[in-house]
């Protein structure tokens, strides 16, 4: 209650912090955990009112996974993510990002817009140094596609992931997981799948991308994410590329969502007390284009070593 309705500094008694300190010393970690968990469970809706973009999946041990299919440049996708997290009060939020793209969670829209538009020689050299010549060039060309959409819409990508990050921080005991395969692995496998002439053809298509895009186009593409739809059109004739960029990542995302949905162990008052577990509630935030693949792979035994 104190956190929800804090007194202004002028109203707060001088010995306020001391009182709080003495109270907190009388509560064990296990008791504090139980109190916060009860608050969270009361706030969690038994029959959540979820957006139409959410797909509900179950695990064998009773955990629930709510997959929010998003368009990476959509305002309504951000609202869908916020609504879902508030309704289900998850234990884990998983997003379609890897450690190489995690910086976009803390950067503001203005900085991201600037970054997306500034694709220079220095960035190209850095990408080549990290990933090799072909993978580095491919990474920069895909950044150009993203920058093109960014410039057309005046909206930076990943807004739904930033909203998920902010909203997850408000939920007690909610962990935040990065669920996507590392981008250098995806690029290297994608490049290896193409012949020399296919690489040239794809690079040519990416270099001369300049079709105008409107915000209406983005919302129309909500059933299939705009960036991935544009990629799908260009890689349609290269099934191996589709496999590495989309299908393999469907498998990886599914695996990470299932890992996040393992049952949660409740705190024990002592070592002698038997262990107790409860089903987990997970929210996954992924591009709409990955949702059918996640559903398809959900009940399969997955081995991600093969695609790493």
């Amino acid at each position: 209650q104190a956190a929800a309705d804090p007194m202004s500094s002028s109203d707060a008694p001088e010995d306020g912090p001391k009182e709080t300190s003495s109270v907190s010393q009388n509560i064990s970690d296990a008791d504090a955990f139980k109190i916060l968990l009860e608050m969270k469970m009361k706030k969690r809706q038994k029959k959540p009112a979820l957006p139409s973009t959410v797909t509900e999946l179950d695990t064998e041990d009773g955990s629930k996974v709510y997959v929010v299919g998003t368009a990476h440049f959509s305002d309504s996708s951000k609202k869908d993510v916020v609504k879902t997290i508030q309704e289900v009060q998850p234990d884990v939020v998983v997003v379609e990002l890897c450690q190489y793209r995690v910086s976009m969670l803390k950067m503001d829209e203005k900085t991201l817009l600037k970054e997306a538009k500034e694709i220079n020689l220095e960035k190209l050299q850095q990408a080549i140094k990290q990933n090799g010549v072909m993978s580095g060039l491919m990474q920069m060309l895909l950044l150009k596609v993203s920058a093109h959409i960014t410039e057309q819409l005046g909206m930076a990508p990943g807004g739904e992931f930033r909203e998920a990050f902010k909203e997850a921080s408000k939920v007690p005991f909610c962990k935040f997981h990065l669920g996507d395969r590392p981008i250098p692995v995806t690029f290297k496998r994608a490049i290896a799948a193409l012949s020399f002439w296919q690489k040239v053809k794809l690079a040519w298509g990416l270099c001369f991308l300049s079709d105008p895009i409107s915000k209406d186009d983005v919302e129309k593409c909500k059933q299939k994410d705009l960036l991935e739809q544009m990629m799908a059109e260009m890689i349609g004739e290269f099934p191996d590329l589709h496999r590495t960029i989309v299908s393999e990542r469907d498998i990886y995302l599914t695996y990470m969502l299932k890992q996040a949905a393992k049952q949660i162990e409740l705190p024990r008052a002592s070592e002698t007390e038997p262990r107790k577990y409860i089903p987990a509630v997970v929210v996954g935030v992924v591009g709409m284009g990955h949702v059918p693949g996640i559903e398809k792979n959900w009940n399969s035994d997955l081995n991600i070593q093969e695609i790493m």
Side-chain angles (χ1 to χ4, degrees):
Q1 280 180 325
D5 187 25
M7 287 185 283
S8 67
S9 55
S10 59
D11 296 332
E14 285 183 12
D15 60 346
K18 291 177 188 173
E19 283 183 32
T20 307
S21 174
S22 64
V23 171
S24 64
Q25 284 170 6
N26 294 330
I27 300 175
S28 69
D29 286 350
D31 287 339
F33 184 97
K34 282 174 186 171
I35 290 166
L36 282 168
L37 192 64
E38 280 172 20
M39 286 168 60
K40 177 174 171 173
M41 292 304 183
K42 280 178 184 174
K43 209 172 174 186
R44 183 179 280 173
Q45 300 298 318
K46 287 183 181 176
K47 290 185 179 177
L50 299 172
S52 60
T53 51
V54 176
T55 300
E56 189 177 331
L57 300 166
D58 298 296
T59 67
E60 290 176 0
D61 55 20
S63 294
K64 286 200 173 293
V65 178
Y66 299 93
V67 183
V68 189
T70 67
H72 296 318
F73 291 85
S74 165
D75 278 328
S76 62
S77 281
K78 293 190 226 177
K79 291 171 187 166
D80 290 353
V81 168
V82 171
K83 169 86 170 162
T84 304
I85 292 173
Q86 287 176 349
E87 286 282 310
V88 307
Q89 293 289 294
D91 304 298
V92 188
V93 171
V94 181
V95 294
E96 185 201 325
L97 284 176
C98 68
Q99 66 266 39
Y100 294 89
R101 291 178 291 153
V102 74
S103 60
M104 74 159 58
L105 292 176
K106 293 193 174 183
M107 289 165 79
D108 59 85
E109 293 273 326
K110 192 181 279 187
T111 309
L112 276 162
L113 275 167
K114 190 181 171 190
E115 284 276 313
K117 290 173 184 176
E118 289 179 357
I119 298 175
N120 52 34
L121 186 61
E122 190 183 337
K123 284 188 181 177
L124 178 58
Q125 287 171 335
Q126 192 180 355
I128 289 172
K129 190 177 178 182
Q130 285 179 342
N131 304 311
V133 176
M134 288 309 299
S135 293
L137 283 169
M138 180 66 73
Q139 186 173 343
M140 293 313 291
L141 287 169
L142 286 173
L143 276 174
K144 185 178 183 296
V145 175
S146 182
H148 170 65
I149 302 173
T150 298
E151 201 167 18
Q152 293 277 313
L153 299 181
M155 184 191 297
E160 76 273 37
F161 302 139
R162 288 189 289 284
E163 289 298 323
F165 186 60
K166 280 190 275 185
E167 214 55 45
S169 69
K170 300 174 189 175
V171 179
F173 312 115
C174 182
K175 295 177 181 176
F176 191 86
H177 287 191
L178 304 175
D180 202 1
R181 182 171 66 178
I183 204 163
V185 176
T186 297
F187 281 133
K188 281 172 185 173
R189 289 180 65 83
I191 292 299
L194 296 177
S195 70
F196 174 76
W197 289 112
Q198 284 176 324
K199 289 170 191 170
V200 171
K201 196 169 185 181
L202 180 65
W204 186 266
L206 289 167
C207 279
F208 292 95
L209 181 80
S210 59
D211 293 341
I213 302 155
S214 70
K215 288 193 178 185
D216 287 340
D217 290 333
V218 177
E219 295 310 324
K220 283 175 194 169
C221 290
K222 196 154 184 199
Q223 294 308 307
K224 192 171 185 185
D225 182 69
L226 181 63
L227 187 56
E228 289 182 11
Q229 179 163 313
M230 292 170 79
M231 283 302 298
E233 286 171 6
M234 285 184 281
I235 67 178
E237 60 193 283
F238 311 133
D240 288 333
L241 198 59
H242 185 274
R243 173 176 53 78
T244 53
I245 289 178
V246 182
S247 304
E248 288 183 358
R249 286 172 58 231
D250 289 347
I251 293 168
Y252 192 93
L253 287 162
T254 307
Y255 178 85
M256 295 302 281
L257 286 166
K258 288 173 92 168
Q259 289 294 110
K262 289 184 175 177
Q263 287 195 324
I264 297 162
E265 183 181 351
L266 294 175
R268 295 180 292 162
S270 69
E271 289 295 319
T272 55
E273 190 181 324
R275 294 177 187 274
K276 290 180 184 175
Y277 296 86
I278 58 169
V281 172
V282 176
V283 170
V285 182
V286 305
M288 183 61 80
H290 290 292
V291 176
I294 291 169
E295 285 188 275
K296 178 186 162 190
N297 290 302
W298 189 250
N299 294 313
S300 306
D301 288 326
L302 303 173
N303 177 11
I304 60 164
Q305 292 308 314
E306 296 170 0
I307 57 168
M308 289 301 287

